[in-house]
Amino acid sequence: MIDFFKGTILLFEVGVAILLIALVLLHGPKGEGLGSIGGEARLFTSPQGSTSGLTKFTAYVAVVFIVLALLMGIFW
């Protein structure tokens, strides 16, 4: 029973990690960074209306990831 629980936590951890990576990559650039040299950063900006919901959802997924990581640290 414990091995099933460990495997389930590990499976959810991998899924949440992949989702978290995808969500971070969906975020638009906050500053221009090195793109300010040639003005290229402005070409890839996204609409600002969805950033608030995306930021909240990313934060919730990050909290789930941390909780699962703590569970793995306790039970492993």
Side-chain angles (χ1 to χ4, degrees), residues 1-59:
M1 184 69 181
I2 297 296
D3 289 331
F4 176 73
F5 185 65
K6 287 181 183 180
T8 304
I9 290 177
L10 182 62
L11 184 67
F12 281 130
E13 181 78 9
V14 170
V16 169
I18 291 170
L19 179 62
L20 187 60
I21 290 169
L23 288 172
V24 168
L25 289 175
L26 284 174
H27 280 275
K30 298 291 182 201
E32 292 191 19
L34 292 177
S36 64
I37 296 171
E40 298 295 325
R42 292 188 183 128
L43 293 174
F44 303 109
T45 57
S46 63
Q48 296 295 325
S50 65
T51 57
S52 176
L54 185 63
T55 302
K56 287 180 183 178
F57 187 61
T58 304

